[in-house]
Amino acid sequence: MIRFALRFISGKYQGGEFPLHDNREIVIGRSSELDMVLVEDMVSRKHSRISTGEGDLSIQDLGSTNGTFVNGERIKQSGLKEGDRILIGTSIIKLVAVDDAMQAKFAQRSKSSTFRQQSRHPTSSGRPMSGTIEEIPLPDLLQLLSSSRKSGVLAIRSKGGFGKIYLRGGQIYFCSIDDDFDLKPLKAMYRVLTWSTGAFELQPPDDKSFLEEIERPTEGILMEGMRLLDEFNRIEPDAPGFDEMFGLANPIGPPIKDLEPDELDVIQLIHNFGQVQTILDKCEKSDVATLTTIIKLKKLHYITQLS
């Protein structure tokens, strides 16, 4: 009985699924004689092997040149569980549970032979690594790209804008939103990490040079980004939209002298610009800290939302 399948959530075979059967080994690689054939340069002829036992799943790297990664870590051998993400070449593969309807669908045809046939004659040989943030969140994706030392420009289209994350050997060295180079790259990076919907595509490396590059290690950026994301999710119900406008309350009831210097800076930005988006861009503090201050100032009646 089929219980799990490998679902391609990024790469040239995105959308494809490969069933896993009990007590069987699946060898993955570029060679046409294998069970799962991935035709791309970064995949070795015999790249990795997935073994299925009685309820147990494991993957083994077969000495591949570019490595096999599970949840961002390069492995020699590792157990697998539902939801794990495997990176082989430019393909990100998710281990998913298979329901009864899908089991019946797989049983009607040999999925392995179908997949091998498609793999020998791919219809999108030039397709870059791509997918959706809903399927693979940006922190997880960047961890995979960092561990596998990928270079390129990760382009993200979201309701928050058009983001570009520049990678060099897996290290993030620049980020922009809507090509606004006035926005500090690290601030742009943390803002992009809060995006939860949208589509991504890993484009070839860009030889642009930037006056200010991000120097923090990618691992540190992702850890701080996750902390800020947790804070953002906590305050989001009370946070204003980026397009909302604010002004000083008239009259201002509480004494201005009671505010901290950072809060006075936000008051000044509100007075000068009004729009939340511009305030966030101009403020030296993180978006989360700035939004927290705006929420406080509104609650204490220092500022008021404009219609």
Side-chain angles (χ1 to χ4, degrees):
M1 178 181 295
I2 303 170
R3 296 180 304 156
F4 292 99
L6 301 174
R7 176 180 296 161
F8 285 72
I9 61 175
S10 177
K12 64 196 280 187
Y13 304 109
Q14 183 180 347
E17 291 190 340
F18 188 101
L20 297 177
H21 300 265
D22 284 339
N23 302 312
R24 180 180 173 188
E25 291 186 341
I26 304 296
V27 180
I28 305 168
R30 204 172 66 245
S31 174
S32 61
E33 293 83 18
L34 303 182
D35 304 289
M36 181 187 289
V37 183
L38 304 182
V39 183
E40 57 172 286
D41 293 340
M42 294 188 65
V43 176
S44 298
R45 288 184 60 79
K46 287 188 176 181
H47 198 103
S48 55
R49 177 190 294 117
I50 293 179
S51 301
T52 62
E54 295 181 359
D56 294 324
L57 292 169
S58 63
I59 186 168
Q60 177 186 4
D61 185 78
L62 300 178
S64 66
T65 301
N66 293 298
T68 301
F69 298 81
V70 176
N71 298 328
E73 293 187 12
R74 186 165 184 165
I75 58 96
K76 292 184 178 179
Q77 186 163 350
S78 174
L80 292 174
K81 63 183 184 303
E82 182 182 354
D84 281 349
R85 295 181 177 92
I86 304 163
L87 176 65
I88 297 176
T90 63
S91 293
I92 301 176
I93 309 165
K94 184 177 181 180
L95 183 66
V96 298
V98 179
D99 59 21
D100 292 341
M102 187 61 70
Q103 288 185 25
K105 181 179 178 181
F106 282 141
Q108 290 174 1
R109 67 183 190 276
S110 171
K111 189 66 175 177
S112 64
S113 62
T114 301
F115 192 90
R116 289 177 60 188
Q117 184 66 22
Q118 291 174 347
S119 301
R120 291 195 190 99
H121 305 285
T123 59
S124 55
S125 58
R127 186 176 184 177
M129 178 187 288
S130 61
T132 65
I133 301 173
E134 293 90 334
E135 189 70 66
I136 176 167
L138 283 175
D140 294 352
L141 175 61
L142 288 165
Q143 181 64 49
L144 286 171
L145 298 177
S146 174
S147 299
S148 55
R149 303 181 63 82
K150 290 284 193 297
S151 295
V153 181
L154 186 64
I156 308 112
R157 294 190 181 276
S158 174
K159 64 180 181 180
F162 180 49
K164 292 180 181 178
I165 301 173
Y166 294 75
L167 296 157
R168 184 189 295 130
Q171 292 299 306
I172 298 168
Y173 68 94
F174 196 79
C175 180
S176 67
I177 298 175
D178 295 328
D179 289 327
D180 179 6
F181 296 102
D182 290 331
L183 185 64
K184 297 288 186 180
L186 190 56
K187 187 163 190 172
M189 184 68 237
Y190 289 140
R191 186 178 297 175
V192 168
L193 285 174
T194 66
W195 294 353
S196 58
T197 61
F200 69 82
E201 178 182 288
L202 183 62
Q203 300 173 348
D206 193 318
D207 59 1
K208 283 182 182 176
S209 59
F210 303 101
L211 292 176
E212 180 181 355
E213 291 193 356
I214 297 173
E215 296 182 354
R216 292 191 64 176
T218 294
E219 194 66 33
I221 292 172
L222 295 180
M223 288 180 63
E224 177 65 7
M226 291 302 294
R227 184 190 72 80
L228 291 173
L229 179 59
D230 288 341
E231 286 295 302
F232 179 80
N233 289 335
R234 181 181 64 81
I235 69 171
E236 188 176 19
D238 300 318
F242 282 16
D243 59 345
E244 292 183 20
M245 298 288 296
F246 282 86
L248 300 184
N250 185 18
I252 295 177
I256 293 289
K257 64 181 178 64
D258 291 345
L259 295 175
E260 299 292 331
D262 286 349
E263 295 169 340
L264 289 173
D265 290 341
V266 175
I267 283 272
Q268 182 73 51
L269 290 170
I270 290 171
H271 176 67
N272 289 346
F273 302 104
Q275 187 185 43
V276 172
Q277 175 75 69
T278 306
I279 295 165
L280 295 175
D281 291 348
K282 298 287 185 181
C283 189
E284 294 185 359
K285 299 195 301 181
S286 71
D287 287 352
V288 169
T290 305
L291 287 170
T292 300
T293 300
I294 292 174
I295 293 169
K296 175 183 177 180
L297 294 174
K298 180 182 178 183
K299 182 178 180 180
L300 296 177
H301 306 292
Y302 286 99
I303 63 173
T304 184
Q305 186 173 343
L306 304 178
S307 57

